[in-house]
Amino acid sequence: MVPVVVLLCLVVAQVAAVATDAVLVHHAAREAARAAAVEPDGQVARRAALGAAGLVPSRVGVQLIGGRVAGDTLTVLVEYSAPTEVPLVGRLIDDVDLTAEVAVRVE
């Protein structure tokens, strides 16, 4: 009985870690969109996303989709591969791919 309870607690911890990463990915997308609205450049958006959320840089992808001229709508897509590293459970579950998309008007 005790091993089942411990395993269940580890699963809950892994789900909580992925949920936290999902919130951070949405925050990173909002910050990248804010930066891209002023300066629609992929590197500027990437730096803003990485600086805002504290995600692992090698697991983050940032894409700009749409126009880059004042008045255009620009969509920022942030992709993140959330690691599943909780002991025992992490080996059973593959990394989780998270995405967030935010559209802004270029200034």
Side-chain angles (χ1 to χ4, degrees), residues 9-106:
C9 289
L10 292 173
V11 169
V12 169
Q14 184 62 67
V15 169
V18 171
T20 300
D21 286 344
V23 171
L24 291 175
V25 168
H26 283 278
H27 179 62
R30 281 193 311 271
E31 290 301 316
R34 257 189 216 131
V38 176
E39 187 174 343
D41 176 59
Q43 290 302 316
V44 170
R46 180 172 172 78
R47 280 193 302 272
L50 292 175
L55 299 170
V56 178
S58 62
R59 293 178 167 265
V60 176
V62 177
Q63 296 179 27
L64 301 183
I65 304 164
R68 294 190 168 80
V69 178
D72 287 347
T73 299
L74 178 65
T75 302
V76 177
L77 176 68
V78 175
E79 299 170 315
Y80 183 65
S81 179
T84 53
E85 298 176 340
V86 172
L88 299 176
V89 177
R91 292 179 182 239
L92 301 174
I93 303 171
D94 289 336
D95 289 352
V96 179
D97 294 328
L98 303 170
T99 61
E101 190 174 302
V102 176
V104 293
R105 178 165 290 206
V106 178

